[in-house]
Amino acid sequence: MANIKRSPWLLHYDGSSCNGCDIEVLACLTPVYDAERFGVMNTGDPMQADILLITGGINSQNEATVKQLYDQMPRPKVVVAVGVCACTGGVFKDCYNILGGADTVIPVDIYVPGCAARPQAIIDGIVQAVDLFQKRSDEHDALVKEKKRKAKEGAARG
Amino acid sequence: MQQLGKTSVIPFGPQHPVLPEPIHLDLVVEDERVVEALPSIGFIHRGLESLTDKRDFNQMCYVAERTCGICSFQHGMGYCEAVEHIFGVETPDRAKYLRTIWSELGRMHSHLLWLGLLADAFGYENLFYQCWRIREKVLDMQELTTGGRLIFSVNKVGGVIKDIDVEKQKAILKAMDEVEEELSVIRKTFFEDYSVESRLKGIGILTAEQINALGAVGPFARASGVKADMRLLGYDAYPELDFEPITSEDGDCYARCYVRMLEVFQSIKLIRQAIAQIPEGELSVPVKGNPNGEYFMRVEQPRGEAFYYVKANGKPNLQRMRIRTPTFANVPALCEMLKNTEIADVGLLVVSIDPCISCTER
Amino acid sequence: MVEHSVPENILEEIPVEDLLLRALELKKEGLRFSQANAAYVDEKFELSYSFSDYETLQLHTLRLVIETDVKVPSITEIVPAAVFYENEMKELFGVKIEMISMDYDNKLYRIRQEAPLGPQKKEVENATVG
């Protein structure tokens, strides 16, 4: 967290959670916990989002929606599974309509446990996600730079 | 000229900025006017009623609590009371009062949450933050008394497992004073600000006849003048407390806001009464054996009347547990309300019924 | 103080033919529809249609106990509020309900498994055991 260069935007999607974690995610973004002080901002548009906060498990209907949201986010991106349902399926794991945690359809980077996940834990997850996003963006930038350099060299040679 | 009258279908949701949860509506529109709204739900359907096969009746209490994270306590309570009725046991008086206190705390935090979301839906960000700031005080009290902010798991079949001692009662009373004072300021903004009024008055009107025909419940129904409050059934400590259901005659968004705002103040009063009258005694009674029989339990949740149907045949696993949530009952009325409205109001109208998709679909 | 002399709930078992008639009668009496649910018990369906009187808060439940292949008429023509309940019973239990005014045709919840709480449930369990 020492030197943040970027200000990633958050997208929140409710998988099939019981609402407890969603409300806590929202509570994190309101004054008392105020996760926005870490430079993140809540957005409703997946095309502009960098970090996906997903709560609740995956069921047969939202499977496609979650995949679509993930694909719509520009690279690099970070996924945070908030709450035990998003991590493993939780208390609903044995229900007929639950396929499992969020990682059954999309790759998850950070798991935040808890039922419902506490704001402190969610903020910790967000901070880790910001760090990871920073790292990935740096790697991404280096790759782009390298590509450009090679293209330039190729052009100079040719 | 036939082109002008042509209808088109606009999808609304599942991922929509106005709601934290996924609901999908197909809006049939004619120009800007909504002609019909067809809901399709199922994004959060988990099928938790099927867990009766795998969990016994004590464990189902914790599953019932996770029907919805907002009215979690009352879900657990309704389920436990249904099973207690089958057993024929009477919970101790202290447990009844404790359940009442926690229920009312839950109602306060749910209504404050809704008031914030409503403010957000009509674009008053500041008001949204203020409501949620006050709500945190209620959550602090829930955390102090139970250890959990939203999901407490303090219910069990036969009573409760935690007590609220005198120190904590004092803390609650202090918090109630603070909430009352701060909410009085916000109440002014909600009811006296002309911009709020212009956004809420006269929108989405439903009459009492429509409400009754479509089976709507809770503050949504009370805002249209239907005096339906299941607390009058006299479960828990409610028969010993003094309260009157809050109703309004207008039936529009403004009335819904009015009813819920006043219910927060009502809850504060009920908590004060309950703390003043709480008797000493045991927290729970022991329950032996397995349930055998069936019962319909009705409780008044923040969103309205919830049904718990439990059927058991003397085995640890129940034969059937059915939770009819208030939000499920409100969906037909929502569809009716959306007819003949402007498309710009749809988000606000959906919020005005206090939707909770996870309990609608279970 | 609130008076709390709520009359006992009524549970009335009726044959399937009388469902529409009784629902209409209860509606005429001024009761409003509260809920409908199904249960699969001992290889039979138990359907409950609850109506409540909001003056006295009394609950009046109509109970049908039927074989799984019996066709049940929809009460949505009389009680429009029942539409989602009937769709739910049809989808989750496989109760054969006919003429629902807005029939989602098993697409209310869009689950993969057909009638997960109905008769098939037991067969699936047996299959995994065997």
Side-chain angles (χ1 to χ4, degrees), chain B residues 39 41 216 305 320 324 362, chain C residues 32 34 38 54 88 104 108:
Chain B
I41 56 179
E305 168 195 16
R320 173 91 170 113
R324 201 281 333 245
R362 303 170 309 282
Chain C
R32 56 173 265 181
S34 280
Y54 268 33
E88 192 186 66
Y104 276 82
L108 179 72

Side-chain angles (χ1 to χ4, degrees), chain B residues 128-343:
Chain B
F128 165 52
Y129 284 153
Q130 292 292 349
C131 290
W132 280 58
R133 186 180 57 79
I134 298 174
R135 174 178 169 264
E136 285 293 330
K137 285 195 202 305
V138 182
L139 291 187
D140 285 347
M141 285 307 111
Q142 298 186 346
E143 191 174 353
L144 177 76
T145 50
T146 65
R149 275 166 56 88
L150 292 171
I151 295 177
F152 319 151
S153 301
V154 286
N155 270 308
K156 69 169 185 178
V157 176
V160 291
I161 56 178
K162 280 204 175 122
D163 196 6
I164 302 181
D165 59 25
V166 181
E167 287 297 306
K168 286 174 185 167
Q169 288 173 12
K170 276 184 195 153
I172 293 178
L173 289 176
K174 190 165 161 278
M176 289 305 111
D177 292 343
E178 287 170 18
V179 170
E180 191 173 35
E181 194 187 326
E182 291 179 19
L183 198 62
S184 305
V185 179
I186 291 187
R187 175 185 171 161
K188 254 189 191 156
T189 316
F190 267 110
F191 296 148
E192 288 170 22
D193 191 303
Y194 76 95
S195 62
V196 175
E197 208 176 293
S198 68
R199 199 72 180 84
L200 296 179
K201 270 246 164 96
I203 293 171
I205 298 176
L206 283 182
T207 60
E209 288 77 42
Q210 280 172 311
I211 289 282
N212 278 330
L214 296 165
V217 293
F220 184 39
R222 289 198 284 278
S224 295
V226 178
K227 196 178 159 186
D229 193 328
M230 288 304 132
R231 285 178 285 181
L232 296 175
L233 272 173
Y235 61 92
D236 285 344
Y238 289 112
E240 287 152 40
L241 304 179
D242 185 25
F243 77 102
E244 191 61 32
I246 291 163
T247 54
S248 168
E249 296 299 321
D250 301 345
D252 57 359
C253 282
Y254 191 80
R256 283 164 212 145
C257 177
Y258 173 83
V259 167
R260 287 191 179 98
M261 176 64 92
L262 291 195
E263 280 189 13
V264 180
F265 289 103
Q266 185 187 45
S267 292
I268 295 175
K269 280 189 200 124
L270 282 170
I271 290 173
R272 283 189 185 137
Q273 285 183 40
I275 288 181
Q277 295 177 15
I278 188 166
E280 290 296 323
E282 292 292 310
L283 295 181
S284 63
V285 286
V287 172
K288 287 197 192 81
N290 294 321
N292 191 357
E294 61 179 323
Y295 194 75
F296 284 102
M297 180 73 204
R298 286 175 288 172
V299 298
E300 182 74 19
Q301 283 193 342
R303 286 167 180 73
E305 168 195 16
F307 261 79
Y308 299 84
Y309 172 62
V310 175
K311 186 173 174 70
N313 60 347
K315 291 194 181 125
N317 288 16
L318 300 174
Q319 280 180 312
R320 173 91 170 113
M321 178 195 70
R322 164 78 154 90
I323 303 178
R324 201 281 333 245
T325 53
T327 41
F328 191 81
N330 283 343
V331 174
L334 169 70
C335 299
E336 182 63 32
M337 184 170 76
L338 286 175
K339 283 178 190 167
N340 277 322
T341 52
E342 295 292 320
I343 200 156

